[in-house]
Amino acid sequence: MTSPATPDSALTNNSHEAEKTHILDLFAGPGGLDVAAHFLGLESIGIEWDANACETRYSAGLPTIHADVRTMRTERFDELPDGINVLAGGPPCQTFSVAGSGAGRRALTDVERFIKRLVARKESSEKIDKELDDLGDPRTALVLEPLRWVMAAIDNGKPYKAIILEQVPAVLPVWHAYREVLESGRLPSGVKYRAECRVLHTEEYGVPQTRRRAVLIARLAEHGQVSLPGKTHKMFTRPKGETAATLDDAIREEAEHAERARARRKEPWVSMGKALQKSSKERGRSEPYVVVSNYGSGGDPKNRGRRTSDQPAFTVTGKISRNVVETPDGRPLPRFTIPESGILQTFPPNFPWRGRDQAQQVGNAVPPRFGIHLLAAALGLEEARVAEALGKMNEWPQVSGEERERLRKIGCGEKGKCPHKPPHPPVDPLQG
C-alpha cells in the first residue's frame, strides 16, 4: 500500500470531482474520515485539539494540524495548504448526546436561531460568541463552526465544492437549519448548495455495530443534485424481548417495519463475531460469546443490554472497555481490546492507536467504512472505486519513524511527543 499521506494512484475514476479533491477534516479525531479518504485515494488534512488523537494520527501517517478549530479559522486561516475544496467534520457531541449533560439538546432552538444570525451578518462575531458561551456549555457552540468555515472559504474566494457533516441524532434539527441556509442563496456572494440530511444507521453500510448518526451532505449547486449514500446492508432488528440498552436502540424500533420490506435485496448486516473472527490477528474469538453493555444502564445490572456474537455490537463508545464479554453460559472472557474495538469501528486491525484515552479515541471516531460511503456520495464517486476502497480496508500501511517525526514536527512543532496544549507552528503538513 502507499503511504497514507500520498493518494493511491492505482485508484481510477472518471469523475473530475474526485481527481481534484483535497479534504479538510475539522475535529478530525484519530482519523476515521481521513482513513476513508486514504482508501479512496484522496488527499486530506485534519485539525485536532486532543494531543492523544494527534499521536495516533502521526503514527498512522495522517497529515494533522494540532490546533483549536476556532483559532485556525480566526487567526491562522491563511496557513492552511492551498487547494482545500471539501469540508468535513463532526463537532464534539457531548452536550447533544443522550449520554451527555443535555445542555445542547435544550439549546437546539437557540442554536438554530444563531445560524440565521450568523448568515445575516448584522452583528459582530464577538457578540454572537458571547451569547453562545452563555448557553451553558462552550462545546455547544462548536456545532456552528462548520458553517463559519463555509463562510470563511467563500469570503476567501474559494467555496468548498462539497460538505460532509455528521453528529449524534439529536443534532439533526441543526443540520436541517444548515440545509436551509446552504440552499437559500443567503450565504456570502449568493453562493448556493444543494443539501440532504437524515439520521443513518451504520450497520446498513456494513459496520458491525448499531450506531445512528445525523448526516448532512451538500454540494455546490452548479455541480448538480446531491443524495445520501444508498444502503448496502439490512437494518438490524432487535430481537423481541431484548431490553434496549440505549435510547438509540429504542428509537430505531419506529422504522423497522417499513425497513424490512425495503431491505430484502440488501446484504445481511455484519455481526461482531464475523468481524472479529475474520479480522482480529491478536486474538481469534472463534467461540460464541455474549456482550453485556454498561452503556445507558445507569449502573443497574438489570438494565444492561445483551448482544450475542452473531449480532452487531452496541454503539461503540469511549466506555466500550467496560462491556463484559462472557460465554453463553456466563463464563468470563477477555474484554474487547483497543484493536478489537477499532475493528468494530471498521479501522484496520493493525491501525496504530497511540497516546492515552485510546478507548475514547475509538469511540469518538467516524467508522471509516461509513466514511467511505459518505465521501463517495458527496463527491459522486463510481461504485467500482468504492468497492476497490472497501476491499483494501483490512490492512494499514506501515509508517516509518522518520515520517512520524516529520508530521509531528510540522503539525505541532515538536519532536518526540505532542504537547498537551495546541501550539502555533507554521502549518503545511502536505508540503513540508
Side-chain angles (χ1 to χ4, degrees):
M1 294 179 69
T2 58
S3 167
T6 304
D8 186 347
S9 58
L11 285 169
T12 59
N13 180 56
N14 293 328
S15 170
H16 68 280
E17 296 293 322
E19 296 304 326
K20 300 178 182 179
T21 297
H22 188 162
I23 302 162
L24 176 64
D25 187 5
L26 307 179
F27 312 102
L33 275 172
D34 303 85
V35 169
H38 163 71
F39 285 120
L40 284 167
L42 308 174
E43 289 189 343
S44 69
I45 181 171
I47 300 177
E48 176 53 42
W49 162 275
D50 180 62
N52 295 307
C54 286
E55 289 294 346
T56 291
R57 294 178 60 88
Y58 297 141
S59 295
L62 298 173
T64 307
I65 305 169
H66 182 197
D68 173 58
V69 165
R70 291 165 295 193
T71 300
M72 284 300 304
R73 174 179 55 81
T74 58
E75 301 177 18
R76 305 173 58 192
F77 193 85
D78 59 353
E79 296 179 24
L80 292 168
D82 292 333
I84 290 174
N85 53 15
V86 174
L87 182 72
C93 67
Q94 289 91 337
T95 59
F96 293 94
S97 173
V98 171
S101 66
R105 284 179 284 139
R106 291 190 296 271
L108 275 174
T109 301
D110 287 334
V111 169
E112 294 171 43
R113 179 167 48 83
F114 278 114
I115 288 174
K116 295 179 181 179
R117 291 170 60 184
L118 280 172
V119 173
R121 288 189 162 181
K122 295 180 179 179
E123 307 165 83
S124 69
S125 292
E126 292 75 16
K127 179 177 186 295
I128 292 177
D129 287 341
K130 175 63 170 61
E131 291 187 39
L132 283 167
D133 288 341
D134 290 341
L135 290 179
D137 191 319
R139 295 171 298 184
T140 302
L142 294 177
V143 78
L144 299 180
E145 274 301 310
L147 178 60
R148 287 177 145 165
W149 279 81
V150 168
M151 296 172 66
I154 295 173
D155 288 340
N156 201 39
K158 298 177 181 178
Y160 302 116
K161 66 180 182 181
I163 303 164
I164 304 102
L165 305 177
E166 66 88 42
Q167 248 280 13
V168 293
V171 180
L172 185 61
V174 177
W175 292 164
H176 280 299
Y178 263 58
R179 177 183 177 180
E180 180 183 348
V181 298
L182 290 172
E183 294 185 334
S184 69
R186 298 197 302 270
L187 290 171
S189 304
V191 170
K192 293 179 69 174
Y193 287 84
R194 298 182 188 273
E196 292 288 346
C197 54
R198 191 182 310 145
V199 173
L200 302 180
H201 300 238
T202 61
E203 81 270 19
E204 294 184 285
Y205 299 91
V207 179
Q209 62 169 300
T210 51
R211 186 185 192 95
R212 299 171 69 247
R213 303 299 287 179
V215 169
L216 178 142
I217 292 178
R219 187 185 299 170
L220 280 174
E222 59 261 36
H223 291 176
Q225 293 291 341
V226 66
S227 60
L228 296 170
K231 301 169 185 176
T232 58
H233 291 66
K234 296 180 181 179
M235 177 186 285
F236 173 68
T237 303
R238 185 157 51 86
K240 186 176 180 180
E242 179 188 291
T243 301
T246 69
L247 181 58
D248 280 357
D249 286 331
I251 292 173
R252 73 170 47 244
E253 304 292 342
E254 299 176 6
E256 286 179 355
H257 293 294
E259 182 60 27
R260 288 193 191 102
R262 294 193 298 268
R264 288 182 185 130
R265 293 184 297 275
K266 299 185 181 74
E267 293 290 322
W269 39 257
V270 179
S271 70
M272 54 182 156
K274 180 178 180 181
L276 295 181
Q277 185 178 25
K278 179 180 178 181
S279 302
S280 181
K281 295 181 179 179
E282 66 165 47
R283 176 191 298 135
R285 290 186 181 265
S286 57
E287 63 178 318
Y289 53 88
V290 176
V291 176
V292 185
S293 174
N294 188 56
Y295 183 73
S297 67
D300 184 352
K302 295 179 181 179
N303 292 335
R304 293 176 183 171
R306 301 173 70 88
R307 291 273 176 90
T308 61
S309 53
D310 61 356
Q311 298 173 332
F314 293 110
T315 300
V316 173
T317 73
K319 298 179 181 179
I320 189 171
S321 59
R322 300 183 187 180
N323 292 350
V324 172
V325 183
E326 59 187 23
T327 62
D329 61 1
R331 177 169 51 87
L333 292 172
R335 299 190 179 193
F336 290 139
T337 64
I338 294 300
E340 287 178 319
S341 302
I343 290 168
L344 295 177
Q345 281 275 58
T346 68
F347 281 87
N350 66 329
F351 192 75
W353 301 99
R354 296 290 186 272
R356 302 177 63 181
D357 299 326
Q358 291 181 11
Q360 195 66 49
Q361 291 184 49
V362 175
N364 287 344
V366 177
R369 185 182 182 99
F370 187 50
I372 285 175
H373 288 288
L374 296 180
L375 289 171
L379 300 171
L381 305 186
E382 297 174 344
E383 290 184 9
R385 182 171 184 147
V386 174
E388 187 173 359
L390 294 174
K392 294 186 173 186
M393 293 189 69
N394 203 44
E395 184 178 358
W396 189 252
Q398 295 292 319
V399 176
S400 69
E402 291 79 8
E403 177 65 4
R404 289 196 300 271
E405 291 305 313
R406 184 186 78 86
L407 290 174
R408 182 185 288 109
K409 183 73 166 84
I410 296 169
C412 71
E414 306 234 357
K415 293 184 66 175
K417 186 178 181 181
C418 203
H420 178 68
K421 292 185 178 181
H424 289 259
V427 174
D428 196 350
L430 295 182
Q431 301 298 326

